[in-house]
Structures are given as structure tokens and as C-alpha cells.
Amino acid sequence: MATSASSKLNKTVKQQYMELEQGDKVQVMYIWIDGSGEGLRCKTRTMDFEPKTIEDIPEWNFDGSSTYQSEGSNSDMFLIPAAMFRDPFRKDPNKLVLCEVLKYNRKPADTNLRHTCKKIMSMVENNHPWFGMEQEYTLLSIEGHPFGWPANGFPGPQGPYYCGVGADKAYGRDIVEAHYRACLYAGVQICGTNAEVMPAQWEFQVGPCEGIGMGDHLWVARFILHRVCEDFGVVVSFDPKPISGNWNGAGCHTNFSTKEMREEGGLKVIEEAIERLAKRHKYHIRAYDPKGGLDNARRLTGHHETSNIDEFSAGVANRGASIRIPRSVGQDKKGYFEDRRPSANCNPYIVTEALVRTCLLKEDGEEPTDYNK
């Protein structure tokens, strides 16, 4: 089982330095999404005081030509602080800060999908849209082989691994536990975790979060997972179908509700929203993975607890449908629904934005409405 060279460095030696006093200085780690739309980058600066709000964090810049975000001849990009969390790696008073990226002309970078999402969420504040996202992922060796799998073969078939217990069923639980605690420390709204159907595949859930907070918390949870895996010397993959064949893919099921849906008689509002979603299936498929549906085409086959990418479907307690209404919601006649189409590597900003556009702003057609016109 190949782990990274960095993970073999003496962590006890590192710890003696991490325990040194830092005086009245604070380390602030700026985090941003790079030009791939999937990768995360970070760098750190020193501040002379502990920031209490996001307004205390100054703007910064970076070389966009090295992150797939600009040409070398005009490479300065701006980091605009957007959400602040406690730093579970350096601990208090140090901070993690998720940033938006602006180009040299102060316009949003191409992969800055937060900018538009925030505008859309501000239009529906009174509806109090809540989201919960179920992030599936796969642990890999540094060479790209699923963690714990035989070097030249496959583990036993799926069946005993989902929520499994035991060394022959749960692969990599130390990473899962470390990530969970680190998220709680940071203030990420993580609400659960479990082993998934394929060995070395896991899931964590974030929510409920309102509006723009969903994307912020999921991206920071992903960043923390990457960093935890870095310490353990393994790699986390959000690929929606990391292993071809008779193995489950990885999604990011998205639970959605509004104030009306959560109140008495909310099931009718849920059904109306699903009707609108049915008429806009292609738009949502394009929005639900970074490659406009190409990644999800490998996963949404109609098998392995997925719907067919070309067909819209909905049903109560049906895990083979595009949209699942939980059985408890059907009984209570109010609550939420689950959109099972988003891929594990989706951008939560555009997923949540698309749901709001279709279900609350009642858009139709194949393209999102431009409200700046």
C-alpha cells in the first residue's frame, strides 16, 4: 500500500515546533478554487491580531498563471475573503478563510461560481432555502489504487461494506474520524458520516445550511479532507466513477427544502417543484458536474442505485430515481426532497443555485436567466 513520502516524515519532530508559542501573531490560511473548477489551492499570511469577522481579513492576490486561471503576462488575481473558519491543523487563534477569486479587472474568475450563486440566494432570502449535501468520496493510494484493495485484484463483491464494521469491511476509518473531528473544530456544519457500498468509499453529510452557506461549508469540508489525507499519505478522489464495472459510483445527493415545504401541506409545494424539475432535466444534468454531464454519464447508468442520465424520474423512497421523496415526508405531508443526480465532484454553488432557479424563481428553458439585463 503506497503512501506519500511526506507522510513518512517524523510527525513527532513536527509537533515540537507546532507547540511553540506564536505570540500575538495569527496565521490565516487563504483557500480558493483553482481554474480546474475542482482543485483547491491555499497559502498563508500573518496577521497582527485575531480576526473576529470576515471583514477583518484583508484582500490578497496570487499568480493565476500557475493555477490555470490567467496568462503569465497578466497573472495577478485577487482573493476576496468570503467565509472564515477555525483552523483545525494549527488550532486557535489561527483561521481558515475561503475566498472568491477576481480577475485583474475585478470581474469574477471563470470558476468563481460563488459570485452568481450569492446573488441568486439573495433573491430568495424570504423563502429560507435549506440544503444538505451527502458527499461521497473514495480513498486511493498515492499511486491511484483504491485504499486497502489487493495489489493485483479486487476485494470481495459489494454487500458487506456499507456502514460496515471490521478490518475486512471498513477501509480507512482513521481518516474518516480525523476529518469528522477536524470539521467540528473548524465550525463546518458536518452532520454525519458512514462507510459506503464500495470498499474504500465513504460519505460525509453537511447541513442543514441556508443559502450560500451550503457551498461554503462543503468546499471547506472538502479542503479539510484533502489536508487530513495529506497527513495520512493517501489521496481522496471525488471522481463519480473511480472504478469501472460492478462497483458503485460516487455522488453528492442534495437535499432541498423551503419554508413552505417544511410547513403543513408542504408536500404539495414539493410536488410542484418536482414537476418543474422534470421539465428542466437537461439543464440540471449540465449543472451537476464540472464537465457539463460527461462525468455523470459514467455514473448515472440506471444501475448501482442511480437513475438513467437521459430520463427524469421521481418516487417515494426510490433510490433508483432522479428525485427521491423520503418515506417520512410522504407520511408527514411536509419536509424536503433529495436530488440524487449531482456527481461527487459537483460544484455545490451551481447545484444549489440551479435548484433555486428552477424551484423558486420558476425559470424554464435550457439556459439560466440573466438577471443583470
Coordinates of all heavy atoms in Angstrom, one line a residue, residues 103-145:
K103 N -10.6 38.4 -11.3 CA -9.5 38.7 -12.3 C -8.9 40.0 -12.1 O -9.4 40.8 -11.3 CB -10.1 38.5 -13.7 CG -10.6 37.1 -14.0 CD -11.0 36.9 -15.5 CE -12.4 37.5 -15.7 NZ -12.9 37.0 -17.0
Y104 N -7.9 40.3 -12.9 CA -7.2 41.6 -12.8 C -8.2 42.8 -12.9 O -7.9 43.9 -12.4 CB -6.1 41.7 -13.9 CG -6.7 41.9 -15.3 CD1 -6.8 43.1 -15.8 CD2 -7.1 40.8 -16.0 CE1 -7.3 43.3 -17.1 CE2 -7.6 40.9 -17.3 CZ -7.7 42.2 -17.8 OH -8.2 42.3 -19.1
N105 N -9.3 42.6 -13.7 CA -10.2 43.7 -13.9 C -11.4 43.7 -12.8 O -12.4 44.4 -13.0 CB -10.8 43.7 -15.3 CG -11.5 42.3 -15.6 OD1 -11.6 41.5 -14.7 ND2 -11.9 42.1 -16.8
R106 N -11.2 42.9 -11.8 CA -12.1 42.8 -10.6 C -13.4 42.1 -11.0 O -14.4 42.2 -10.3 CB -12.5 44.2 -10.1 CG -11.3 45.1 -9.7 CD -10.6 44.6 -8.4 NE -11.4 44.6 -7.2 CZ -10.9 44.4 -6.0 NH1 -9.7 44.0 -5.9 NH2 -11.7 44.4 -5.0
K107 N -13.4 41.4 -12.2 CA -14.6 40.6 -12.5 C -14.4 39.2 -12.0 O -13.2 38.8 -11.9 CB -14.8 40.7 -14.1 CG -15.3 42.0 -14.5 CD -15.6 42.0 -16.0 CE -16.1 43.4 -16.5 NZ -16.4 43.4 -18.0
P108 N -15.4 38.5 -11.7 CA -15.3 37.1 -11.2 C -14.5 36.2 -12.2 O -14.7 36.2 -13.4 CB -16.7 36.6 -11.0 CG -17.5 37.8 -11.0 CD -16.9 38.8 -11.8
A109 N -13.6 35.4 -11.6 CA -12.9 34.4 -12.4 C -13.9 33.4 -13.0 O -15.0 33.2 -12.4 CB -11.8 33.7 -11.5
D110 N -13.5 32.7 -14.0 CA -14.4 31.8 -14.7 C -14.9 30.7 -13.7 O -16.1 30.3 -13.9 CB -13.7 31.1 -15.9 CG -13.4 32.2 -17.0 OD1 -14.0 33.3 -17.0 OD2 -12.6 31.9 -17.8
T111 N -14.1 30.3 -12.8 CA -14.5 29.2 -11.9 C -15.1 29.8 -10.6 O -15.3 29.0 -9.6 CB -13.4 28.2 -11.6 OG1 -12.2 28.9 -11.2 CG2 -13.1 27.4 -12.9
N112 N -15.2 31.1 -10.5 CA -15.8 31.7 -9.3 C -17.4 31.6 -9.4 O -18.0 32.6 -9.8 CB -15.4 33.1 -9.1 CG -16.0 33.8 -7.9 OD1 -16.8 33.2 -7.2 ND2 -15.7 35.1 -7.7
L113 N -17.9 30.5 -9.2 CA -19.4 30.3 -9.3 C -20.1 30.8 -8.0 O -21.3 30.9 -8.0 CB -19.7 28.8 -9.5 CG -19.1 28.2 -10.8 CD1 -19.5 26.8 -11.0 CD2 -19.3 29.0 -12.0
R114 N -19.4 31.1 -7.0 CA -20.0 31.6 -5.8 C -20.6 33.0 -6.0 O -21.7 33.3 -5.4 CB -18.9 31.8 -4.7 CG -19.5 32.2 -3.3 CD -18.4 32.3 -2.2 NE -19.0 32.4 -0.9 CZ -19.4 33.6 -0.4 NH1 -19.4 34.7 -1.1 NH2 -19.9 33.6 0.9
H115 N -20.0 33.8 -6.9 CA -20.4 35.2 -7.1 C -21.9 35.2 -7.5 O -22.7 36.0 -7.0 CB -19.5 35.8 -8.1 CG -19.7 37.3 -8.3 ND1 -19.3 38.2 -7.5 CD2 -20.4 37.9 -9.3 CE1 -19.6 39.4 -7.9 NE2 -20.3 39.3 -9.0
T116 N -22.2 34.5 -8.6 CA -23.6 34.4 -9.1 C -24.5 33.7 -8.1 O -25.7 34.2 -7.9 CB -23.7 33.8 -10.4 OG1 -22.8 34.4 -11.3 CG2 -25.1 33.8 -11.0
C117 N -24.1 32.7 -7.5 CA -24.9 31.9 -6.5 C -25.3 32.8 -5.4 O -26.5 32.8 -5.0 CB -24.1 30.7 -5.9 SG -25.0 29.7 -4.7
K118 N -24.4 33.7 -4.9 CA -24.8 34.6 -3.8 C -25.9 35.6 -4.2 O -26.8 35.8 -3.5 CB -23.5 35.3 -3.4 CG -23.7 36.2 -2.1 CD -22.5 36.8 -1.7 CE -22.7 37.7 -0.4 NZ -21.5 38.4 0.0
K119 N -25.8 36.0 -5.5 CA -26.9 37.0 -6.0 C -28.2 36.3 -6.0 O -29.2 36.8 -5.6 CB -26.5 37.5 -7.4 CG -25.4 38.5 -7.4 CD -25.2 39.0 -8.8 CE -24.1 40.1 -8.8 NZ -23.9 40.6 -10.2
I120 N -28.2 35.0 -6.5 CA -29.4 34.2 -6.7 C -30.0 34.0 -5.3 O -31.3 34.1 -5.1 CB -29.2 32.9 -7.5 CG1 -28.8 33.3 -8.9 CG2 -30.4 32.0 -7.4 CD1 -29.8 34.0 -9.7
M121 N -29.2 33.6 -4.3 CA -29.7 33.3 -3.0 C -30.3 34.5 -2.3 O -31.2 34.4 -1.5 CB -28.5 32.7 -2.1 CG -28.0 31.3 -2.6 SD -29.4 30.1 -2.5 CE -28.5 28.7 -3.4
S122 N -29.7 35.7 -2.6 CA -30.2 36.9 -2.0 C -31.6 37.2 -2.5 O -32.4 38.0 -1.9 CB -29.3 38.1 -2.3 OG -29.3 38.4 -3.7
M123 N -32.0 36.7 -3.7 CA -33.3 37.0 -4.3 C -34.4 36.1 -3.6 O -35.6 36.4 -3.8 CB -33.3 36.7 -5.8 CG -32.4 37.6 -6.6 SD -32.1 37.0 -8.3 CE -33.8 37.2 -9.0
V124 N -34.0 35.1 -2.9 CA -35.0 34.2 -2.3 C -34.8 34.0 -0.8 O -35.2 33.1 -0.2 CB -34.9 32.8 -2.9 CG1 -35.3 32.9 -4.4 CG2 -33.5 32.1 -2.8
E125 N -34.2 35.1 -0.2 CA -33.9 35.0 1.3 C -35.2 34.7 2.1 O -35.2 33.9 3.1 CB -33.4 36.3 1.8 CG -31.9 36.5 1.5 CD -31.4 37.9 1.9 OE1 -32.2 38.7 2.4 OE2 -30.1 38.1 1.9
N126 N -36.3 35.3 1.7 CA -37.6 35.1 2.5 C -38.1 33.7 2.4 O -39.0 33.3 3.2 CB -38.6 36.1 2.0 CG -38.2 37.5 2.4 OD1 -37.4 37.8 3.2 ND2 -38.8 38.5 1.6
N127 N -37.6 32.9 1.4 CA -38.1 31.5 1.3 C -37.2 30.6 2.2 O -37.6 29.4 2.3 CB -37.9 31.0 -0.2 CG -38.8 31.8 -1.1 OD1 -38.4 32.8 -1.7 ND2 -40.1 31.4 -1.2
H128 N -36.2 31.1 2.7 CA -35.3 30.3 3.6 C -34.9 29.0 3.0 O -35.3 27.9 3.6 CB -35.9 30.2 5.0 CG -36.1 31.5 5.7 ND1 -35.1 32.2 6.2 CD2 -37.2 32.3 5.9 CE1 -35.5 33.4 6.7 NE2 -36.8 33.4 6.6
P129 N -34.2 28.9 1.9 CA -33.9 27.6 1.3 C -32.8 26.9 2.1 O -31.7 27.5 2.4 CB -33.3 28.0 -0.1 CG -32.8 29.4 0.1 CD -33.7 30.1 1.1
W130 N -33.1 25.7 2.5 CA -32.2 24.9 3.3 C -31.6 23.8 2.4 O -32.4 23.2 1.5 CB -32.9 24.2 4.5 CG -33.2 25.1 5.6 CD1 -33.0 26.5 5.6 CD2 -33.8 24.8 6.8 NE1 -33.5 27.0 6.8 CE2 -33.9 25.9 7.6 CE3 -34.2 23.5 7.4 CZ2 -34.5 25.9 8.9 CZ3 -34.7 23.5 8.7 CH2 -34.8 24.7 9.4
F131 N -30.4 23.4 2.5 CA -29.7 22.4 1.8 C -29.0 21.4 2.7 O -28.5 21.9 3.8 CB -28.7 22.9 0.8 CG -29.3 23.9 -0.2 CD1 -29.3 25.3 0.1 CD2 -29.9 23.5 -1.4 CE1 -29.9 26.2 -0.8 CE2 -30.5 24.4 -2.3 CZ -30.4 25.8 -2.0
G132 N -28.9 20.2 2.3 CA -28.0 19.2 3.0 C -27.4 18.4 1.9 O -28.1 17.9 1.0
M133 N -26.0 18.3 1.8 CA -25.4 17.6 0.8 C -24.6 16.4 1.3 O -23.9 16.5 2.3 CB -24.5 18.5 0.0 CG -25.3 19.6 -0.7 SD -24.3 20.7 -1.8 CE -24.3 19.7 -3.3
E134 N -24.7 15.2 0.6 CA -24.1 14.0 1.0 C -22.9 13.7 0.1 O -23.1 13.2 -1.0 CB -25.2 12.9 0.9 CG -26.5 13.1 1.7 CD -27.6 12.2 1.3 OE1 -27.3 11.0 0.9 OE2 -28.8 12.5 1.5
Q135 N -21.8 14.0 0.7 CA -20.5 14.0 -0.1 C -19.9 12.6 -0.1 O -19.3 12.2 0.9 CB -19.6 15.0 0.4 CG -18.2 15.0 -0.4 CD -18.3 15.5 -1.8 OE1 -18.5 16.6 -2.1 NE2 -18.1 14.5 -2.7
E136 N -20.0 11.9 -1.2 CA -19.3 10.6 -1.3 C -17.9 10.8 -1.8 O -17.7 11.7 -2.6 CB -20.1 9.6 -2.2 CG -21.4 9.2 -1.6 CD -22.2 8.3 -2.4 OE1 -22.0 8.3 -3.7 OE2 -23.0 7.5 -1.9
Y137 N -16.9 9.9 -1.4 CA -15.6 10.0 -1.9 C -14.9 8.7 -1.8 O -15.4 7.8 -1.1 CB -14.8 11.1 -1.1 CG -14.7 10.8 0.4 CD1 -13.6 10.1 0.9 CD2 -15.7 11.2 1.3 CE1 -13.5 9.9 2.3 CE2 -15.5 11.0 2.6 CZ -14.4 10.3 3.1 OH -14.3 10.0 4.5
T138 N -13.8 8.5 -2.5 CA -13.0 7.3 -2.5 C -11.6 7.6 -2.0 O -10.9 8.5 -2.5 CB -13.0 6.7 -3.9 OG1 -14.3 6.6 -4.4 CG2 -12.4 5.3 -3.9
L139 N -11.1 6.7 -1.2 CA -9.7 6.8 -0.7 C -8.8 6.0 -1.6 O -9.1 4.8 -1.9 CB -9.5 6.3 0.7 CG -10.3 7.1 1.8 CD1 -10.2 6.5 3.2 CD2 -9.9 8.6 1.8
L140 N -7.7 6.6 -2.1 CA -6.7 6.0 -3.0 C -5.3 6.0 -2.4 O -5.0 6.9 -1.7 CB -6.7 6.7 -4.4 CG -8.1 6.9 -5.1 CD1 -7.9 7.8 -6.3 CD2 -8.7 5.6 -5.4
S141 N -4.5 5.0 -2.8 CA -3.1 5.1 -2.6 C -2.5 6.2 -3.4 O -3.1 6.8 -4.3 CB -2.4 3.8 -2.9 OG -2.3 3.7 -4.3
I142 N -1.2 6.6 -3.1 CA -0.6 7.6 -3.8 C -0.4 7.3 -5.3 O -0.3 8.1 -6.2 CB 0.8 8.0 -3.2 CG1 1.3 9.3 -3.6 CG2 1.8 6.9 -3.4 CD1 0.6 10.5 -3.1
E143 N -0.5 6.0 -5.6 CA -0.4 5.5 -7.0 C -1.8 5.4 -7.7 O -1.9 5.0 -8.8 CB 0.3 4.2 -7.0 CG 1.7 4.2 -6.6 CD 2.3 2.8 -6.2 OE1 1.4 1.9 -6.0 OE2 3.5 2.7 -6.1
G144 N -2.9 5.8 -7.0 CA -4.2 5.8 -7.6 C -5.0 4.5 -7.4 O -6.1 4.4 -8.0
H145 N -4.5 3.6 -6.6 CA -5.2 2.3 -6.4 C -6.1 2.5 -5.2 O -5.7 3.1 -4.2 CB -4.2 1.2 -6.1 CG -4.7 -0.2 -6.2 ND1 -5.2 -0.8 -7.3 CD2 -4.9 -1.1 -5.2 CE1 -5.6 -2.0 -7.1 NE2 -5.4 -2.2 -5.8

